[in-house]
Amino acid sequence: MKRQVALLITLFIGTLLVVSVFIPPMESLKETFTLFFDIIAVFAFFLGGGNLLRVHLTKLSKRKQDWVYSIVTLVGFTVVLVIGLFKLGNPGGIAASPTAEGSLFQTLFDNVLVPLSSTMYALLAFFVASASYRAFRAKNREATILLIAAFIILLGRTPFGMMLTSWVPNSLSILQIPNLAIWIMNSANLAGQRAIMIGIGLGVVSMSIRIILGIERTYLGEEK
Amino acid sequence: MKKEFLVYIGILILAIILYFFVTEPVTFSPTVSLIIIGLIGLALVLIFVRTIMGKLVGRRTVFSFVAISVVVPFFMTVEQPIQTSPEVQSLYQAVLDLKPGSKVLVSFDYDPPSAPELQPMAETFFSLCLERDLRIIIMGLWPQGPQQAEMALQKVMDEPAIASKNYRYGIDYVNLGFQVGNEFVIQRMGDDISSMFQTDYYGTPYDSLPLMRNITNFSNIDFSFNLSAGYPGTVEWVQVAVDRYGVDLGAGNTAVQAPQMYPYLRAGQLKGLLGGLNGAAEFEKAAGRIGKGTKFMVSQSFSHVIVIAFIIIGNAAFFLGERRRKEEVVE
Amino acid sequence: MDDQLYRQPVFRVFQIFLIIFTVLAGSIFAQDPAIGLTDSADVFVPAPPGAVKATDVVYDQGGAVDLEWELSPDDDGSLKVSGYYICRREVGGEDYRLVDSVMAGVRTFVDETVEQDHTYQYMVAVNGDCSTAPSEESNSITPDMEWLNFGLSNLFIIGLVICGSVIYFIAHAKRGKKFFIRKIAGLEAVDEAIGRATEMGRPILFVPGILDMDDVQTIAALTILGRVSRVVADYDTKINVPVSRSLVMTAARETIKSSYMAAGRPDAYSDDMAAYITDEQFGYVAAVDGMMVREKPATCFLLGAFFAESLILAETGNSIGAIQIAGTARPAQLPFFVAACDFTLIGEELFAASAYLSGEPKQMGSLKGQDVGKAIAMVFIVLGVITTTLAQAWDIGVFTWISDLLHDLFQVTS
Amino acid sequence: MDAIGLWIGAFLTLGIMSFLYKDNPWYKLSESIFVGVSAGYWFITLFWDSIYSKFYIGVSQEGDNYLYVGAILGLMMLMRLIPKVGWISRWPLAFIVGAISGFYLINYFSSNIMRQVANTVMPLFSTDYGQSLFSASVGTIIDNILVAGGTFAGLVYFFFSKEHKGAFGATAKVGIWVIMVTFGATFGYTVMSRMSLLIGRMDFIFGDWLGLIK
């Protein structure tokens, strides 16, 4: 029974939102639900953050492998929470926005989080290289096509592309790699994008229907 | 475990030495640079041979090559042959044609992630303006823009050639700071700049800035330059400032965004365009100045060559009948 | 991601700014007529704009009015005219107040600050360098609210057809009709991949993307997690689901738990299977990367919404020699998965996966319904391309009619 | 302060980079700092943004009492902490999933299906719908055919309920090729734009921190 109620809620809310699109008076419904979602998300964090604490505290107490690092995480977490909630070291005091210029909270962001995340992001450069080294192999026809397309674009965006095909007469300028790159970008590329997008659209529609009708209920539990 | 900590200590010592004792910027002489390039090339050839002999290199090798290809050029004095493309040349020319004392409006519409590409452009542009005694008015449509401007300006101001001219804030240059509102801001500025910037970046009232006193709107601006990494950016400046108020506009864009600007260039709505690091480097060349753009450009081209080289090597290996993935992964 | 993070506040401030500005400009305007009166030779007063037409915006909550006027003759692209002020008054109410201002050359405006069932009149004043010239008063207008949005009737019709076909085939399948569904390589591999982990005695890593429950891809990922964890429960393998959102953690736990119950081994379930790490995009990636190299999972599922981290995760997973099954609906990230993973679910396949894995007829039915949708889209594309081409070639009435019809049918207003 | 900031930044940067060689204590340390600090940071931003600015201000000052519904749903979520009534947390979950499904159903329908089909429907021998015939160059004509045909073939590839055999299978094959070109293009495009990120970091290490480059 408990689960029947849940399924009814899904059915009702889902249908309501679909219908609301066609009924102007219900237009604002979407915004309302987004607001609700934001609020629920914060409440949920008490579970998430709580779990974070739990996991690391157990690691600590059980002296599991790498328990030392758990201390770091715990300290970092709690310190930021305290600073942020009581707005310590914030020139504007408790009234100011937590991320006010020069506040301890913002300094922490600039000096700790920014370098960390931008470095993690920068690792991408390495992985892009290793991936292209390994994955761009003319294994089969599909892979070959991918390789060629990638290679043309790749060259097209560097000076070499120009150098390589500068000898091509302007009458055949389309064959100059930079132009070729541009051409690929807005012909075949476009077609592929569209096919994928239409497919995704249908996938979402059909999945939403399954969920609203309660056929897809894994997220609520498969009580057989 | 022990070994690792020895390595860390080594790195720390190295860092301390480099930080405290090596105070002068390091640069390799052309010969050394050439030798290094030669060595890298040789290493690549070796890898190629090994691969053909069936010994695939691991990811760490690839990583180290990428790292080297990015870092080494920082210290090299070799410039790769850069030919300044028309759109860059025309921007340079546009600045040259300005009489000393003309007022230039520079809008910083980007944030730190795009700095590697756009910061060098900003520095070159500032130095160019200051060498030619142009008055600079800085603003930003992105919150972190003015900050970036400050950094660039400081860097240029410290250069002896500029420092000797001892320009004064408020008279020779101002930073109006960030204003929220996207293209709306540009539109209002066409009417009345002070209505959008009651105070400058430091909170000084608009009217007490000598430079701004007789500037009411775009009609008092002789040239305008925009560094953009997205929305709001060059597109908005063209559509409002250029199309509506006939401002002379030049722009610097990230490599990803630049291609969309060429239509405006052809239509003459943009006086000039710098696209990505290439653009920055070419601009520095035109301005006869070796800045980060040129260095970074070399780094970028290097890393691109490396990636392309490894793709070729990878395929060579494949065609010589390496199929299974296990050998490739973890050495 | 991080982009949105700091731009949201910007827009909020923008709205506030707008209001402040309106008031500010209002005061400016209040003085302007005075300037306009001192009409000495050196003050240029532009000719006023022509007739202003006000119409109610249809299919809304009665909160908007469409305005249209003829440009001032002086507004000829030369910079004599800098823009127009939109002014409004409530009939029988107070006098004209400034609503907003638009650039020169603009001849339309939508006033979304009106209230339903009040009657308004408008006036548009052209703005010269230091003078304004107001237009005639507009017709009076009373915005009202409609109860049904017929502007979307085409969306409604096509939606009905496609959703209908999906539902029809589900119902059809319920009555025991079997449909053929082609093999999807990535999904065929799931059992084998889990089996492999079991043999090697290594855990399974399931990453449900980095977005919250308010993204369909996350939900799709969870529905797949339901199927996967069911198999995992049967094989009695260890599964780790690190998540970057608290809500997703809760949902994931619910999902895994019920799969274990369905498998008849609730005892084997533990909450530690799904753990929240951090909301920060790259912080999460750093942690998951660490997890990968330390626990060396034999199988990685990367399903859901991914951004720049797609390749970072896929490459790390690849470096530890795990079998990787990835899938996302973000075209920009798909290539990286294709390059670095063993199997990739491309867009639609991600959403079809759970239905496919369930093996239940009615779920399969929905896939069949999807295909009908595809067929319809394809037919319309072919028909549309042919007719529009013919229509333009020889402008034959029937083709023009069809092509126009198709265009109206698929143009989505709003 | 700046110098300290620089050193901290550099320490963390190198810590993360070290992962490329192999997992090691330095990385583990940076990682744990990252996780702890960022989790806290996000909660704080969420808290002031949603609970304070949206909920508290909304209820206390704008008097939007309907917001309490959200709060109640949130509390239901927290019921998980009490095993006895834990099941009730399924309701807010059902609420969210239902809302999202309903919302995206229409959303994707109009933007992904309708709009894309509409964009694909255009005359082959012209640049755009509503233009005179043969106003386009040969190039555009080829492009138009390629886009329309490619989209069609791509859709064929996604068919689930039909075996990829014969003419159908052939079209599907063309479809996957088109999709592969798309992937190749996207990949090539990004490879190039990613390098500048790394350059930026390296500049921080060797320029801003160590001051080895001017």
Side-chain angles (χ1 to χ4, degrees):
Chain A
M1 177 268 156
K2 293 165 185 168
R3 205 151 125 281
Q4 294 313 321
V5 179
L7 288 174
L8 280 177
I9 295 175
T10 316
L11 177 65
F12 175 69
I13 300 293
T15 332
L16 194 67
L17 268 160
V18 172
V19 175
S20 70
V21 177
F22 301 97
I23 303 174
M26 292 165 76
E27 259 172 1
S28 52
L29 213 55
K30 242 179 287 153
E31 289 70 37
T32 318
F33 280 112
T34 342
L35 265 175
F36 287 177
F37 182 84
D38 293 342
I39 296 168
I40 299 174
V42 182
F43 276 93
F45 185 89
F46 289 102
L47 301 173
N51 187 65
L52 189 78
L53 291 172
R54 205 191 94 248
V55 168
H56 287 284
L57 284 173
T58 36
K59 233 180 167 187
L60 196 59
S61 56
K62 292 220 178 81
R63 290 283 186 278
K64 283 200 190 141
Q65 195 201 358
D66 290 343
W67 59 274
V68 195
Y69 303 103
S70 298
I71 304 176
V72 181
T73 311
L74 288 170
V75 172
F77 185 61
T78 36
V79 166
V80 175
L81 281 191
V82 173
I83 292 177
L85 282 181
F86 304 110
K87 296 186 177 164
L88 304 179
N90 190 327
I94 195 72
S97 106
T99 56
E101 204 49 51
S103 67
L104 192 51
F105 193 63
Q106 190 57 30
T107 328
L108 212 61
F109 177 76
D110 294 334
N111 291 319
V112 177
L113 284 187
V114 168
L116 278 168
S117 47
S118 49
T119 312
M120 204 64 209
Y121 197 0
L123 291 189
L124 210 50
F126 293 100
F127 290 128
V128 158
S130 66
S132 359
Y133 168 57
R134 197 190 52 259
F136 285 179
R137 304 277 168 86
K139 295 191 198 76
N140 49 38
R141 207 179 269 106
E142 283 74 23
T144 319
I145 293 170
L146 186 127
L147 170 66
I148 295 168
F151 211 69
I152 291 174
I153 301 288
L154 217 131
L155 287 174
R157 293 175 56 75
T158 60
F160 318 112
M162 201 64 238
M163 295 177 205
L164 277 174
T165 50
S166 45
W167 52 269
V168 176
N170 283 344
S171 53
L172 296 170
S173 60
I174 183 68
L175 292 179
Q176 288 169 350
I177 289 185
N179 305 340
L180 212 54
I182 293 166
W183 176 72
I184 290 179
M185 281 310 273
N186 29 5
S187 65
N189 175 47
L190 193 65
Q193 296 279 10
R194 278 190 188 154
I196 295 174
M197 283 178 80
I198 296 175
I200 290 171
L202 287 161
V204 172
V205 167
S206 138
M207 186 186 76
S208 305
I209 293 176
R210 289 203 302 273
I211 289 176
I212 293 174
L213 295 183
I215 294 168
E216 182 63 74
R217 49 178 72 170
T218 38
Y219 67 99
L220 280 179
E222 200 86 49
E223 282 170 18
K224 285 222 179 79
Chain B
M1 199 61 181
K2 288 275 169 295
K3 202 169 96 273
E4 279 158 349
F5 284 103
L6 288 178
V7 176
Y8 298 160
I9 293 164
I11 294 173
L12 179 65
I13 294 168
L14 187 67
I16 290 172
I17 293 172
L18 292 175
Y19 187 84
F20 291 104
F21 301 103
V22 186
T23 46
E24 278 308 298
V26 180
T27 46
F28 304 153
S29 70
T31 34
V32 179
S33 318
L34 283 175
I35 293 169
I36 296 173
I37 297 173
L39 287 176
I40 296 174
L42 206 64
L44 278 174
V45 175
L46 276 178
I47 290 178
F48 187 70
V49 174
R50 284 192 66 218
T51 330
I52 287 173
M53 285 154 57
K55 297 197 186 60
L56 281 164
V57 298
R59 5 188 298 130
R60 284 175 192 164
T61 325
V62 182
F63 291 165
S64 34
F65 268 91
V66 173
I68 293 168
S69 67
V70 167
V71 174
V72 166
F74 287 171
F75 306 107
M76 296 199 315
T77 43
V78 292
E79 303 128 63
Q80 65 178 148
I82 307 169
Q83 72 269 49
T84 48
S85 43
E87 60 268 30
V88 175
Q89 192 58 42
S90 59
L91 175 66
Y92 176 66
Q93 202 50 48
V95 180
L96 282 196
D97 297 345
L98 294 169
K99 284 182 256 49
S102 345
K103 298 170 190 62
V104 178
L105 175 73
V106 189
S107 180
F108 280 68
D109 308 335
Y110 65 94
D111 52 359
S114 321
E117 287 176 282
L118 299 182
Q119 204 70 3
M121 300 181 187
E123 286 163 12
T124 319
F125 189 80
F126 279 153
S127 69
L128 198 58
C129 293
L130 294 174
E131 280 163 12
R132 308 184 40 72
D133 298 334
L134 306 179
R135 306 278 171 269
I136 301 174
I137 301 156
I138 298 164
M139 61 168 281
L141 295 177
W142 285 35
Q144 279 132 309
Q147 230 165 297
Q148 298 292 331
E150 282 296 304
M151 286 190 248
L153 201 57
Q154 266 321 312
K155 200 155 180 308
V156 175
M157 287 288 187
D158 296 343
E159 288 169 10
I162 308 294
S164 59
K165 300 191 176 221
N166 52 49
Y167 288 110
R168 287 142 306 165
Y169 182 86
I171 297 159
D172 304 303
Y173 65 99
V174 292
N175 185 345
L176 294 178
F178 161 71
Q179 183 50 275
V180 82
N182 307 335
E183 60 268 56
F184 189 78
V185 174
I186 312 175
Q187 182 201 322
R188 295 299 307 154
M189 285 173 74
D191 232 2
D192 175 8
I193 294 179
S194 58
S195 74
M196 285 290 100
F197 297 95
Q198 279 84 2
T199 68
D200 73 353
Y201 188 54
Y202 306 99
T204 328
Y206 186 90
D207 300 326
S208 48
L209 295 164
L211 175 53
M212 302 312 289
R213 250 182 228 124
N214 40 24
I215 297 180
T216 51
N217 56 26
F218 285 146
S219 51
N220 311 98
I221 300 288
D222 302 292
F223 188 76
S224 158
F225 184 62
N226 157 254
L227 288 160
S228 145
Y231 171 85
T234 308
V235 178
E236 286 66 37
W237 277 98
V238 169
Q239 285 169 355
V240 181
V242 177
D243 295 358
R244 291 245 53 82
Y245 298 100
V247 171
D248 285 350
L249 181 70
N253 278 250
T254 52
V256 177
Q257 193 193 359
Q260 300 145 32
M261 300 306 154
Y262 278 86
Y264 296 131
L265 199 64
R266 274 186 232 101
Q269 290 154 298
L270 279 179
K271 288 278 164 292
L273 176 65
L274 312 176
L277 280 171
N278 311 28
E282 291 176 21
F283 193 43
E284 283 174 2
K285 178 142 190 298
R289 169 174 200 279
I290 298 297
K292 282 200 166 149
T294 319
K295 283 196 161 62
F296 288 175
M297 175 60 190
V298 181
S299 297
Q300 197 185 33
S301 320
F302 251 54
S303 50
H304 291 171
V305 179
I306 294 292
V307 172
I308 293 166
F310 270 106
I311 293 180
I312 295 167
I313 294 174
N315 280 279
F318 175 77
F319 282 115
L320 291 151
E322 296 299 322
R323 277 168 193 287
R324 274 317 307 140
R325 66 198 261 283
K326 36 178 154 23
E327 294 117 315
E328 304 178 10
V329 207
V330 284
E331 336 166 71
Chain C
M1 270 199 77
D2 16 24
D3 264 20
Q4 303 167 356
L5 185 115
Y6 90 75
R7 266 187 224 175
Q8 279 165 353
V10 172
F11 285 123
R12 216 166 295 122
V13 184
F14 177 25
Q15 290 161 347
I16 300 164
F17 173 84
L18 251 180
I19 299 160
I20 297 170
F21 168 75
T22 320
V23 178
L24 191 124
S27 50
I28 298 173
F29 177 66
Q31 308 149 359
D32 271 338
I35 307 166
L37 288 178
T38 63
D39 188 24
S40 60
D42 52 0
V43 179
F44 163 75
V45 183
V52 183
K53 196 159 139 296
T55 48
D56 179 25
V57 173
V58 287
Y59 310 135
D60 68 342
Q61 290 179 284
V65 168
D66 265 326
L67 286 184
E68 201 180 344
W69 60 90
E70 288 155 22
L71 293 181
S72 152
D74 294 311
D75 183 1
D76 47 14
S78 68
L79 299 172
K80 285 184 286 181
V81 167
S82 65
Y84 296 88
Y85 289 126
I86 316 291
C87 312
R88 182 185 74 206
R89 79 180 181 106
E90 205 163 316
V91 173
E94 79 281 349
D95 45 8
Y96 278 94
R97 287 251 160 281
L98 183 94
V99 179
D100 202 340
S101 73
V102 296
M103 288 182 284
V106 179
R107 56 177 76 244
T108 60
F109 178 77
V110 184
D111 177 9
E112 285 167 336
T113 61
V114 294
E115 278 174 39
Q116 185 185 349
D117 300 334
H118 293 230
T119 308
Y120 300 97
Q121 266 186 313
Y122 288 86
M123 193 189 267
V124 175
V126 64
N127 179 21
D129 269 349
C130 54
S131 62
T132 57
S135 70
E136 300 293 308
E137 285 192 330
S138 78
N139 56 311
S140 54
I141 179 77
T142 314
D144 62 351
M145 170 168 74
E146 290 74 13
W147 288 96
L148 272 181
N149 184 345
F150 290 102
L152 292 177
S153 37
N154 60 337
L155 179 73
F156 183 74
I157 293 162
I158 301 177
L160 216 55
V161 172
I162 292 183
C163 298
S165 68
V166 173
I167 295 168
Y168 166 81
F169 280 102
I170 293 175
H172 208 51
K174 270 207 187 118
R175 280 187 255 100
K177 173 101 171 62
K178 285 257 170 293
F179 298 113
F180 166 85
I181 296 294
R182 75 166 161 92
K183 297 220 171 305
I184 299 174
L187 298 174
E188 287 297 309
V190 168
D191 281 18
E192 177 211 335
I194 299 173
R196 179 169 178 267
T198 323
E199 290 158 19
M200 300 171 79
R202 296 229 214 111
I204 289 167
L205 187 75
F206 190 104
V207 180
I210 65 161
L211 286 190
D212 209 334
M213 288 297 282
D214 60 354
D215 186 89
V216 261
Q217 300 178 66
T218 316
I219 295 180
L222 287 175
T223 57
I224 302 172
L225 174 63
R227 312 293 173 196
V228 169
S229 51
R230 176 64 206 274
V231 184
V232 170
D234 291 337
Y235 282 55
D236 191 13
T237 319
K238 192 164 174 294
I239 184 168
N240 285 332
V241 187
V243 301
S244 84
R245 309 281 170 180
S246 307
L247 264 177
V248 182
M249 179 186 82
T250 332
R253 284 180 174 173
E254 201 60 52
T255 312
I256 303 171
K257 191 173 183 181
S258 44
S259 309
Y260 270 74
M261 284 180 162
R265 0 193 17 263
D267 48 309
Y269 168 80
S270 106
D271 271 354
D272 301 338
M273 289 173 171
Y276 164 83
I277 308 246
T278 167
D279 283 72
E280 157 71 35
Q281 182 185 14
F282 289 107
Y284 175 72
V285 177
V288 174
D289 267 5
M291 223 181 251
M292 281 182 173
V293 292
R294 278 159 224 155
E295 298 174 4
K296 300 232 180 320
T299 308
C300 299
F301 292 92
L302 307 170
L303 302 165
F306 290 90
F307 295 79
E309 66 279 1
S310 60
L311 190 62
I312 302 180
L313 292 173
E315 273 294 293
T316 318
N318 188 299
S319 72
I320 57 167
I323 287 198
Q324 302 201 91
I325 300 177
T328 180
R330 293 184 47 79
Q333 302 305 329
L334 276 165
F336 299 111
F337 281 150
V338 172
C341 298
D342 304 77
F343 302 97
T344 308
L345 301 176
I346 301 169
E348 185 175 10
E349 296 173 343
L350 174 73
F351 299 102
S354 132
Y356 182 94
L357 290 171
S358 73
E360 298 167 25
K362 47 187 179 179
Q363 299 247 17
M364 295 291 192
S366 68
L367 297 187
K368 179 86 179 167
Q370 252 162 279
D371 282 358
V372 174
K374 250 165 274 162
I376 294 173
M378 284 154 69
V379 169
F380 276 121
I381 288 175
V382 174
L383 202 67
V385 169
I386 294 172
T387 47
T388 42
T389 312
L390 293 178
Q392 283 190 358
W394 303 278
D395 176 33
I396 302 168
V398 58
F399 290 132
T400 335
W401 182 77
I402 296 176
S403 64
D404 289 348
L405 179 79
L406 288 182
H407 269 266
D408 301 345
L409 204 52
F410 281 89
Q411 274 323 329
V412 203
T413 50
S414 87
Chain D
M1 183 56 222
D2 280 3
I4 302 168
L6 270 179
W7 277 85
I8 295 174
F11 175 82
L12 297 170
T13 306
L14 294 176
I16 296 291
M17 289 269 178
S18 70
F19 179 75
L20 289 170
Y21 181 67
K22 74 192 227 300
D23 186 32
N24 65 78
W26 196 353
Y27 176 74
K28 286 180 188 166
L29 183 60
S30 322
E31 177 200 325
S32 348
I33 296 173
F34 202 169
V35 170
V37 173
S38 61
Y41 183 88
W42 270 77
F43 175 62
I44 295 299
T45 26
L46 278 179
F47 176 83
W48 290 113
D49 214 61
S50 303
I51 293 291
Y52 181 76
S53 307
K54 288 195 187 126
F55 178 68
Y56 175 71
I57 299 288
V59 169
S60 62
Q61 292 172 20
E62 273 100 62
D64 307 338
N65 291 325
Y66 68 90
L67 289 175
Y68 281 116
V69 180
I72 291 164
L73 288 165
L75 287 172
M76 284 185 171
M77 210 74 205
L78 291 181
M79 288 302 162
R80 295 188 69 82
L81 298 172
I82 314 157
K84 255 195 156 14
V85 287
W87 54 269
I88 206 163
S89 68
R90 281 177 178 181
W91 293 3
L93 219 53
F95 175 89
I96 290 169
V97 174
I100 297 307
S101 314
F103 170 56
Y104 276 110
L105 196 157
I106 293 295
N107 197 341
Y108 271 79
F109 196 89
S110 62
S111 67
N112 272 48
I113 304 177
M114 309 263 287
R115 198 153 281 152
Q116 292 309 317
V117 172
N119 294 347
T120 320
V121 171
M122 55 178 191
L124 297 175
F125 306 126
S126 162
T127 50
D128 193 11
Y129 178 72
Q131 282 196 1
S132 72
L133 190 63
F134 298 119
S135 63
S137 69
V138 181
T140 345
I141 294 170
I142 298 173
D143 283 4
N144 292 344
I145 296 171
L146 223 123
V147 171
T151 315
F152 185 88
L155 282 173
V156 169
Y157 167 78
F158 283 115
F159 257 82
F160 296 120
S161 60
K162 202 160 171 1
E163 195 113 36
H164 287 178
K165 281 216 229 76
F168 190 82
T171 326
K173 201 123 196 75
V174 177
I176 190 67
W177 292 347
V178 174
I179 292 172
M180 280 302 155
V181 174
T182 313
F183 290 168
T186 322
F187 200 142
Y189 196 76
T190 21
V191 169
M192 295 297 112
S193 52
R194 292 305 180 216
M195 288 303 168
S196 58
L197 292 166
L198 180 58
I199 293 174
R201 277 337 274 169
M202 291 301 187
D203 179 43
F204 169 77
I205 291 290
F206 292 94
D208 303 350
W209 181 44
L210 295 175
L212 296 181
I213 46 178
K214 54 171 172 322

